[in-house]
Every structure is written in C-alpha cells, then in structure tokens.
Amino acid sequence: MSRYRVVPTPAQEEAMLRNHCAQTRYVWNLAVEQHAHWHPGRKSAPGYLEQCRQLTAARAEHDWLRAGSQMVQQQALRDFTQAMKAFFDPANPARRPSWRKAGQNEGFRIVAVGSRDVRRLSRHNGEVRIPKVGWVRFRWSRAIPAGVKSYRVTRDRAGRWHIAFAAIAAPLPAPGNGQVAGIDRGIAVSAALSTGEMLHVPSLTARERARRQRLERKLARARRGSNRRGKVRLAVARMRARETDRRKDWTEKASTDIARRFDLIRVEDLQISKMTRSAKGTAANPGRNVRAKSSLNREILRSGWGLLVRRLEQKAPGRVEKITAAFTSQRCSACGQVDPKSRESQARFLCTACGYAGNADVNAARNIAAGLAVTARGGCRDAGPVNREPHLLASLTGCE
C-alpha cells in the first residue's frame, strides 16, 4: 500500500463522512449481525452474492441508501467476506470481524480505478476522483504506483484523512554478501543487532508526555457529550497519532536498512499477543502485580516488536527466520555456557565460564544470529554441554 495524506474541503469531508463512511459502516455492521445470529443447528449465514441481492432490495426500498454509492456499499460486503475467510483460515487465523463504531473505523474502498481518475496538479499536490464527491486533493509525496486498480480512503481518530492505493511493492533484493543478522527485541533497547547496533523507537518527548497527561486528566473531568470533551478528545488523539507516526516511520526506515544490508535475518519467535495478555484475572482468582504487568504490556506494544518483524517479512520474503527464544539471553555467545547468573543486569552480560563481558542484548542477538537457541542444557558451538562443569569442559574443548 502507498498511503498519502488527503486534504478535503469541508464540504467534501462532510460528504465522505456522512455518506460513504456511514453507509460502509452500516452495511458492515448488518453483515456482522447476520453472522452473529448463526449457531450450530441454524441455517448458515448468507454469503457475498446473497448479501448483494439483499443490498439491492434494500436500496430499492430506502431512498437514503439508494442515494449513496453502490460500489462503496458492495465493497464493504466484499471486505467483510475477505475478513471472514481470514478468520476461518487454519494456517494463519485472524480475529473475527466485529462491530464498527463511528469515529474509530471510518473508511471506504473504491475499485475500477482508471488512469483518468488520478491526476497531478503540481509538484506536491494531486487529485483523485471519488464517486459522488468529486475531485479531492491529496499530497503527492511520492510517485503513484503503476497499474493501480483500487484505493481506500480512511479517517483516523485524529481527524486526518488518508488515501492508500492498492499496489504490491517489489521486495528488496538481497545484497549477496552472505551476512546474517540476529535481532533481539527489548524495551530499554527496542532492537539490538548482532553487529552491536542498538536501535531505539522514538517516542514522545518529556514535555509532550506531560501535556498528554494533562489532556487525559482534563478529558476524564469533562462531561460526556459536551463540546469541550470533544475538543479535548481530539487533542489527545492527535498526541497519540504523533507517537504512532514516529514509531511507524522508525520501523520503515529500520526494516529497509536491515533488509538491504543482510542476506539472512533471524529474530526471536515471540508470542506477543500472549505476552501482552492482561493479568487482572477474575473476581475469584485475581491477578498479582496487575499495575506493573499493565505497564510492561504498554511498553512492549510501544516498542513495535510485531510491526518490525512483519515489515521485514514483507520487504525480505524468504530471508527472515524465527528462532526459538529459549535461553538466548542466558547463553554466552563466546563459549556457549548457559547460566542465569551470567546476566548480571538488564544491560550487562558477564559469562561465569569464560569471562566474556558485553551488552546483554547484543549477546542475545549474536546467539539468535547463530541459531543457538536451546531448549534444555546449553552447549559449546563445536562441543557438548558445558553447564555442569563449565571451567573444566571449556579448557578441554578449547572454548576459552
């Protein structure tokens, strides 16, 4: 996807929000309701073709629905069908399609786009034709991909409009140098490379975080439904969008740089959704250290662990390997000794066998690059386990 910032006029924004977005959300929620009504023993929910016939009948009956774009409404049904297929995919199941709420999931899709539907006005501005809206301007920040057949217009919580032209980008070519990179993901260091580089996800500054905290407190005091609450909510959304934009920009630049420099990229196989699961528990069995776990979950999500790996897999397909994360942070990358005591602190690693000292994250990244994750006892790269008598075995096998 190639995404661009849309700059609509107030009238165009009202037309897209009140007509296309509202009707897309309405059709989507009807499809969700139809499938939620089904359970074993009942007739199966209608498919895409049957839903299109029902949509045609509904457009003939309701003037407000007939006044909208039939293409936009049908594409909402097609998107729902694709989402259901992804949900039932056994290889890579996705979340079940859920209800869409006004102000959160705003957007629509246009297909059958031709070369005359997109035109350039100046160096930094272009226009796209949207049915029943007209020509809408967007920022021409880079070239439009060739052969575009569809695009999607979205509006985020901060009130910003974007257009994404559907085009599959070509993967980045491998450099052919035979180098292997290991990436250890963390919180203090977002991504540590086996080369010794330590990358950090940019976040809000201290001043920006203080302002966001003041706005969130102000939002909590505001009366629901008031104009003041709406203005404060928009200000908070803009602060959060700024942090998200910085994280995405860092991910794009870091993933492109890594994919261009290394032939093979190895990362930990982490179950992020399980790692960030809430620790509240139940009323009968409440969780412990819930506040600390919640803070940890937020920091993990802010570090962009999943986004970084996903973009690497898209930019370097077939060149990303996932390694079991067991004991990679406790294993010495020099001699292979596995000892929890070697991890002196969050940042320092000192091997109890050979005396190797270095950054703990870089040491783990080197183990990942070598594919040296273990499931039980550790071992030297060219010898047997060295956990029980590390000094003796290290001297016998030459792993000093």
Side-chain angles (χ1 to χ4, degrees), residues 83-240:
M84 290 300 298
K85 288 182 179 180
F87 173 69
F88 288 110
D89 185 6
N92 188 19
R95 292 184 178 180
R96 187 181 186 91
S98 59
W99 300 88
R100 289 186 174 179
K101 186 177 180 182
Q104 294 185 5
N105 301 289
E106 303 288 5
F108 55 91
R109 186 156 67 102
I110 302 296
V111 298
V113 178
S115 58
R116 297 182 178 180
D117 295 327
V118 181
R119 63 188 182 188
R120 190 167 188 173
L121 300 178
S122 62
R123 181 180 179 183
H124 300 293
N125 294 284
E127 279 186 335
V128 61
R129 184 184 309 185
I130 299 179
K132 296 186 179 296
V133 176
W135 289 98
V136 181
R137 287 199 175 194
F138 66 94
R139 296 179 182 175
W140 197 289
S141 54
R142 56 191 179 280
I144 303 295
V148 172
K149 299 298 181 182
S150 65
Y151 62 82
R152 186 182 298 274
V153 179
T154 57
R155 180 180 183 270
D156 59 17
R157 295 188 181 186
R160 303 177 303 177
W161 290 88
H162 296 89
I163 182 171
F165 295 97
I168 301 177
L172 297 176
N177 52 19
Q179 295 186 9
V180 180
I183 303 177
D184 178 73
R185 289 166 289 175
I187 295 177
V189 178
S190 302
L193 274 61
S194 55
T195 57
E197 302 171 65
M198 290 179 284
L199 310 178
H200 300 268
V201 173
S203 182
L204 298 178
T205 63
R207 186 174 181 178
E208 290 173 334
R209 288 195 299 269
R211 181 174 183 271
R212 186 181 64 180
Q213 188 176 21
R214 291 195 302 269
L215 289 173
E216 289 175 346
R217 292 175 178 174
K218 190 176 181 180
L219 180 65
R221 295 192 300 266
R223 180 171 54 86
R224 290 186 176 274
S226 63
N227 294 333
R228 175 172 172 265
R229 180 181 175 84
K231 294 180 180 179
V232 177
R233 184 198 58 80
L234 183 60
V236 173
R238 288 175 177 172
M239 295 292 294
R240 293 178 178 174

Side-chain angles (χ1 to χ4, degrees), residues 345-390:
S345 64
Q346 181 66 30
R348 179 171 174 77
F349 184 90
L350 179 62
C351 182
T352 57
C354 67
Y356 165 78
N359 184 273
D361 296 325
V362 175
N363 175 78
R366 290 174 179 172
N367 289 329
I368 296 170
L372 293 179
V374 295
T375 56
R377 299 188 179 277
C380 188
R381 298 188 181 187
D382 300 320
V386 296
N387 294 41
R388 293 186 177 180
E389 297 179 1

Side-chain angles (χ1 to χ4, degrees), residues 180-183 185 264-270 320-326 328 364-365 367-374:
V180 180
I183 303 177
R185 289 166 289 175
L264 182 61
I265 305 166
R266 287 175 174 162
V267 297
E268 297 171 294
D269 188 8
L270 302 177
V320 178
E321 293 183 359
K322 292 186 177 181
I323 305 299
T324 304
T328 52
N367 289 329
I368 296 170
L372 293 179
V374 295

Side-chain angles (χ1 to χ4, degrees), residues 277-288 290:
R277 187 173 297 170
S278 176
K280 290 183 178 180
T282 61
N285 187 20
R288 291 161 40 175
V290 177

Side-chain angles (χ1 to χ4, degrees), residues 60-80:
E61 183 178 354
H62 302 284
D63 295 338
W64 67 271
L65 196 60
R66 185 170 58 253
S69 173
Q70 185 177 11
M71 178 194 302
V72 170
Q73 297 165 12
Q74 286 184 347
Q75 291 309 310
L77 294 176
R78 186 174 293 277
D79 290 343
F80 178 82

